[in-house]
Amino acid sequence: MEEINSLMHGFAVALTPMNLGLMMVGIILGVLIGVLPGLGGANGVAILLPLTFAMGNTPAGQVSAIILLSCIYWGALFGGAITSILFNIPGEPWSVATTFDGYPMAQQGKAGEALTAAFTSSFVGAFIAVLMITFLAPLVAKFALRFGPPEFFAVYLLTFCSFVGMTKSPPMKTVAAMMLGFALAAVGLDTVTGQLRLTFGFTELLKGFDFLIAVIGLFGIGEILLTIEEGLDFKGMTGKMKMKVVLETWKELPKYWKTSLRSSVIGCWMGITPGGATPASFMGYGVAKKFSPTGANFGKGEIEGVIAPETAAHAAGTSALLPMLTLGIPGSPTAAVLLGGLLVWGLQPGPMLFEEKKDFVWGLIASMYLGNIAGLIVVLTTVPFFAAILRIPFSIIAPVILVICAIGAFTVHSSMFDVWLMVVFGVIGYVFKKLDYPLAPLVLALVLGDRAEDAFRQSMLASQGTVTIFFSNPLVGSITTLALLMLFWAPLSSVIKRVRR
Amino acid sequence: MSQQQSNEKSAASLRMVDAVTAVIIFVIGAVVIWDSYRLGSKWGSDGPESGYFPFYIGAILCAASVINFVNALREKSVADGGESFVSRGSFRMVMSVMVPTVIYVVAIGGIGAIPGIGIYVASAIFIAVFMLWLGKYGWGKTVSVSFAVPIVFFLMFEIWFKVPLPKGPLEAMLGLN
Amino acid sequence: MHKTQKSFTSKFGRNILSAAVGAVVAFGTGFAAVGSAWEPTKSVEFVVPAGTGGGADQMARFIQGVVTKHNLMKQSLIVVNKSGGAGAEGFLDVKGAAKDPHKIIITLSNLFTTPLATGIPFNWKDLTPVQMLALDQFVLWVNADTPYKTAKEYTTAVKAAGPNKFKMGGTGSKQEDQIITVAIEKLTGDKFIYIPYKGGGEVAVQLVGKHVDSTVNNPIEAVEQWRAGKLRALCVFDDKVMPYKAKVTATLSWSDIPPCKTQGMDVDYQMLRGIFMPGGVTKEQVAFYIELFKKIQATPDWKEFMEKGAFDSTTLTGDEFVKWLTKEEQRHQSLMSEAGFLAKK
């Protein structure tokens, strides 16, 4: 096959000692960036981009440069899970769903297992996405082109619907939490009309409520406040800290191959279209909960609840590079910055790149395989180290976490206002948790609310106010139908069960 | 949810906090409705206007809060054996984190015309206070941790990643900004 | 591995050193006589009032790259995106940093449109104009599968179809793309459905996917799709043809795109790519940046970038730039009030 030949050639291009070295450096930096909340993959790549300008003068240098930058990206994808699991603070937006089961696992002394599961599933997701990029790139690029506003709205609808029935909180509290998320998402400039909404003349509100700041406050600070309530006497969280835990967890993982596969498909799809890694992780989690036999236990420390979002997020993050390379549209903010890098090195991403710069493209694809393997090795060796962090007494680790949260909130927009906002969200998180208002719907609405609204209103503009546009072609029709099926899954499945009996 | 110990009095009843929260959310909903009305909240000729969705979001928020408020009132008060939101002891613990945190954030960026001391110095003091006061650690450990953490962050953010964080007079004196 | 590690550490070391030197210098200048040229004493923040990956962001990161590559500045240049509220976040940030010479901002048309459309308390006069770097062109694009070969054919088809049938995709609402769309409508009597998207690259792809019928993308946003034969350029919104004669697609160069004026569509609109500093900075400080950008524009990289994006490489500084800005502000005021885009008072 032609692809195999090209790939082998790519490996020959990528496999130089220099490039392998860059891979390790990139991964380690990326993990560090992923661990620090606020400093996302996009920032990381942007910050280190200038370092690569001198490299990009030769074709071989261009390959090295993209390897360094893309490995930072892989590292950040891996690293986002670490703080989610250990401290309930998502390092990256796409690791919010990982906190749902990852953090309870860590509290039960299973941090090592959770980390291993997260890293391994990240790798699996990425690997499947790279396979897809290798063999299906042209086909997939065409599929991505079919996504207009109605299709995007249908995808967001599907994400919401796959999450319905997730929480056991009082229904009206769930509704209130979700609507609060939507309301917060609406603050700022309305894309469709260019009007300012809900800002009341406060210039701080112009940029809207950033998802990360809300999440750092709600989850991170909120959790510290809940923990401190029970006093400072440290309940020894002893986790297994040997490398053995990795092997033991690996033995468990194949059982969940269905979940991994499902999440990979969701992730690839969301990465290409480009919905992004964050909706992918939520959808992966929601769908897994619906289909898993132990779905009822999700949220209490189920390993499947870590596998599902991590696989989906990493598959999405990886496949997001495909539209960037073939169409010149970035599937994620990080891909957007990488795109800028390509331009500076004198490469024009887009349909011609695959034809004109074979070495570069296949070198990059080969580096995706290598980079993810390198990444997996690096992060797995750190599992005992990170699991050991939980042994540090609370009165040392708590202020350090608070400092990290403050730095994280500040770096998102370089704004002190955001740090205050984070503190307020922390209090909200604490109160809501105690009053049984669920946080997941709030966060989901906050991250997808304005995007869903934009897509809906763009569709309405296109159809001049006709709602049937969401069934106007087989693609959008089937996604919408799927979403409605998900929405009524609980009553439907009980009917099916009854019929079977 | 009830970590309330029998010998500890309740600082606030669940019922009261629940009701107050519902009222606050109701007010937020009302504010959203008000602003949506200003923006135009109808379904125009080419789809919904700017305030269309926020209007209904606000309306649903208000409606849900009314139900939550009624439900909250139906709960028993602490005197009748209802649940406590937080006991006095726990509340004191929470405040022992909240108050230093608020002071910490003030110290980073200052307030009004008073300039802050920057995130690095503030962090060092914050960690030290926490360790000395709440953790009862000795000076040796305290100083080493509270110095090491900000220095590591300084190297990482300012020098390596080139992300400027708030700095104060100390950094200016050392010429590090 | 070895090599990179070394380069990282040496960079690290150099920074400490330069910080130390900076401290000494800063201490020294306090006493030294004024008169020596001003230079940044710490890293300079380069604000982009738009999201990552857009035209302004690409240019800013490109400039950052050129500065680093050719070692044009002792201190580093750090790109910061402040895109909230159609760039209002960035403008207000720089406005609030009066007298800070370690901050510059790259602007696009939202310098005028955002305050007009949203009523935020900002005007370009709150900033110190440094230099116009270039003007970005706008081109009318359609999908290559459509039968329209000229702008005239296209507008005839739009007219024949009746109002609200053809979809024009663009970046943002009440910003440059929609202003051009309204201007076309005024001239031809056509009525488009204008669909706003978040970024220019997204708009070009929506056109390739036939979700909209035409766009007014900047050249750099659509050039790759054009080269791949997915899009067709109908005309450029300028009164003269673009000067770049090198072939971009198999048969066409930028200079082969006719001005819209010759197509019965007399719309002339370019977008500013300019550099500003906060208000209240000194002449010496402005002079430093003018000199810096002069050096940047002299590099071959810059010339290549200008050609790739088919920019109008007119540069202006000082009074001429201010004059241009004043005129352009009035023009936006009238364009936007005609279109009904001004913020309700």
Side-chain angles (χ1 to χ4, degrees), chain A residues 135-174:
Chain A
F135 295 104
L136 301 174
L139 208 77
V140 160
K142 273 197 198 111
F143 176 68
L145 281 176
R146 298 182 55 189
F147 275 71
E151 287 80 8
F152 278 119
F153 177 73
V155 166
Y156 296 135
L157 187 69
L158 180 59
T159 313
F160 283 117
C161 290
S162 63
F163 236 70
V164 164
M166 285 285 307
T167 57
K168 290 183 192 63
S169 307
M172 277 307 126
K173 286 191 171 171
T174 310

Side-chain angles (χ1 to χ4, degrees), chain A residues 31-371:
Chain A
V31 171
L32 205 59
I33 287 163
V35 166
L36 296 166
L39 204 63
N43 299 52
V45 176
I47 291 158
L48 294 165
L49 195 57
L51 282 182
T52 65
F53 292 144
M55 297 163 84
N57 287 334
T58 59
Q62 288 168 353
V63 176
S64 303
I66 190 84
I67 287 176
L68 175 65
L69 291 186
S70 58
C71 281
I72 292 171
Y73 183 41
W74 311 140
L77 280 167
F78 277 118
I82 296 171
T83 40
S84 311
I85 291 169
L86 297 182
F87 307 124
N88 207 28
I89 305 169
E92 301 287 340
W94 53 76
S95 35
V96 173
T98 312
T99 62
F100 299 160
D101 280 276
Y103 183 66
M105 277 183 81
Q107 282 186 310
Q108 292 156 19
K110 291 194 281 191
E113 285 90 332
L115 287 169
T116 309
F119 295 150
T120 313
S121 6
S122 293
F123 174 76
V124 170
F127 197 79
I128 293 177
V130 183
L131 279 179
M132 185 201 63
I133 292 179
T134 312
F135 295 104
L136 301 174
L139 208 77
V140 160
K142 273 197 198 111
F143 176 68
L145 281 176
R146 298 182 55 189
F147 275 71
E151 287 80 8
F152 278 119
F153 177 73
V155 166
Y156 296 135
L157 187 69
L158 180 59
T159 313
F160 283 117
C161 290
S162 63
F163 236 70
V164 164
M166 285 285 307
T167 57
K168 290 183 192 63
S169 307
M172 277 307 126
K173 286 191 171 171
T174 310
V175 169
M178 190 163 205
M179 289 303 142
L180 210 54
F182 279 126
L184 292 175
V187 175
L189 193 86
D190 171 23
T191 320
V192 178
T193 61
Q195 280 173 297
L196 286 174
R197 295 195 296 196
L198 301 169
T199 56
F200 308 104
F202 291 107
T203 50
E204 285 89 353
L205 292 179
L206 279 176
K207 59 183 190 291
F209 286 95
D210 196 282
F211 168 72
L212 261 176
I213 288 151
V215 162
I216 293 171
L218 289 172
F219 289 79
I221 310 272
E223 193 57 39
I224 287 183
L225 294 179
L226 283 173
T227 316
I228 195 86
E229 252 195 4
E230 289 155 39
L232 277 171
D233 21 312
F234 180 64
K235 314 174 295 291
M237 261 191 263
T238 47
K240 279 173 254 169
M241 287 170 32
K242 301 246 167 58
M243 285 309 287
K244 222 171 71 187
V245 70
V246 173
L247 299 175
E248 281 168 11
T249 315
W250 273 4
K251 265 184 226 152
E252 291 283 305
L253 293 179
K255 270 203 300 203
Y256 304 108
W257 66 274
K258 268 195 229 160
T259 308
S260 301
L261 195 65
R262 221 185 286 122
S263 283
S264 303
V265 172
I266 292 172
C268 289
W269 174 34
M270 298 296 272
I272 294 160
T273 49
T278 312
S281 63
F282 280 107
M283 202 195 277
Y285 185 87
V287 170
K289 184 183 158 76
K290 289 234 155 87
F291 285 98
S292 166
T294 54
N297 288 334
F298 270 46
K300 292 178 191 154
E302 198 66 23
I303 197 163
E304 220 179 327
V306 175
I307 296 170
E310 280 294 314
T311 314
H314 221 132
T318 307
S319 48
L321 291 186
L322 182 66
M324 178 193 92
L325 291 172
T326 57
L327 302 172
I329 34 161
S332 70
T334 315
V337 181
L338 282 176
L339 190 99
L342 261 63
L343 288 170
V344 178
W345 307 326
L347 295 170
Q348 186 66 256
M352 306 301 282
L353 194 66
F354 271 76
E355 311 275 319
E356 292 172 351
K357 302 277 178 186
K358 280 209 157 74
D359 270 14
F360 175 80
V361 170
W362 288 103
L364 170 61
I365 292 175
S367 84
M368 291 180 181
Y369 287 96
L370 298 171

Side-chain angles (χ1 to χ4, degrees), chain A residues 29 32-33 36 39 47-48 172-173 175-176 179-180 182-183 186 190 193 195-200 221 224-225 228-232 393-396 398-400 402-404 406-407 410-411 414 416 419-420 422-423 427 430-437 453 456-457 460-461 464-465 467, chain B residues 1 3 14 17-18 21-22 25 28 31-32 34-36 38-39 43 45-51 53-54 57 60-61 64 67-68 75 85-86 90 93-94 96-98 101-102 104-106 108-109 119 123 126-127 130-131 134-135 137 145 149 153 156-157 160-166:
Chain A
L29 279 175
L32 205 59
I33 287 163
L36 296 166
L39 204 63
I47 291 158
L48 294 165
M172 277 307 126
K173 286 191 171 171
V175 169
M179 289 303 142
L180 210 54
F182 279 126
D190 171 23
T193 61
Q195 280 173 297
L196 286 174
R197 295 195 296 196
L198 301 169
T199 56
F200 308 104
I221 310 272
I224 287 183
L225 294 179
I228 195 86
E229 252 195 4
E230 289 155 39
L232 277 171
F394 188 76
S395 51
I396 297 181
V400 175
L402 286 168
V403 167
I404 291 176
I407 293 178
F410 182 84
T411 44
S414 306
M416 250 344 264
V419 183
W420 282 111
M422 171 201 78
V423 174
V427 175
Y430 167 75
V431 173
F432 271 25
K433 205 84 179 260
K434 297 205 80 173
L435 293 178
D436 209 8
Y437 279 90
E453 192 197 342
F456 183 82
R457 287 168 59 196
M460 285 299 105
L461 281 172
Q464 293 292 291
V467 188
Chain B
M1 190 157 297
Q3 297 96 7
L14 190 67
V17 179
D18 209 358
T21 307
I25 294 178
I28 293 174
V31 170
V32 172
W34 176 65
D35 198 56
S36 309
R38 179 185 68 83
L39 289 165
W43 187 286
S45 59
D46 48 3
E49 290 180 289
S50 234
F53 285 105
I57 290 166
I60 298 172
L61 263 181
I67 297 172
N68 286 333
E75 285 162 33
F85 178 76
V86 63
S90 297
M93 290 308 295
V94 171
S96 70
V97 174
M98 266 321 283
T101 304
V102 170
Y104 168 59
V105 179
V106 171
I108 296 172
I119 205 161
S123 300
F126 181 63
I127 295 171
F130 226 93
M131 285 179 69
L134 294 172
Y137 284 95
V145 174
V149 172
F153 281 132
M156 227 152 57
F157 281 89
W160 207 358
F161 291 143
K162 301 225 170 278
V163 176
L165 297 182

Side-chain angles (χ1 to χ4, degrees), chain C residues 248-260:
Chain C
V248 179
T249 70
T251 52
L252 296 171
S253 70
W254 289 116
S255 63
D256 291 326
I257 303 174
C260 292

Side-chain angles (χ1 to χ4, degrees), chain A residues 22 46 50 53 57 145-148 191-194 206-207 327 329 343 348-349 351 356 413 454 458 461, chain C residues 4 8 58 61 64-65 69 82 89 92 173-174 193 196-198 201 205-206 209 211 224-225 227-228 308:
Chain A
L22 285 176
F53 292 144
N57 287 334
L145 281 176
R146 298 182 55 189
F147 275 71
T191 320
V192 178
T193 61
L206 279 176
K207 59 183 190 291
L327 302 172
I329 34 161
L343 288 170
Q348 186 66 256
E356 292 172 351
H413 287 290
D454 283 351
Q458 285 164 350
L461 281 172
Chain C
T4 37
F8 270 115
Q58 277 183 23
R61 290 188 194 279
Q64 181 195 28
K69 191 168 153 189
K82 288 186 184 283
E89 183 194 354
L92 292 171
S173 187
K174 297 177 185 167
I193 298 172
Y197 291 90
K198 280 228 162 96
V205 172
Q206 290 285 317
H211 302 286
E224 270 308 292
Q225 315 294 346
R227 286 181 61 209
K308 200 188 301 159

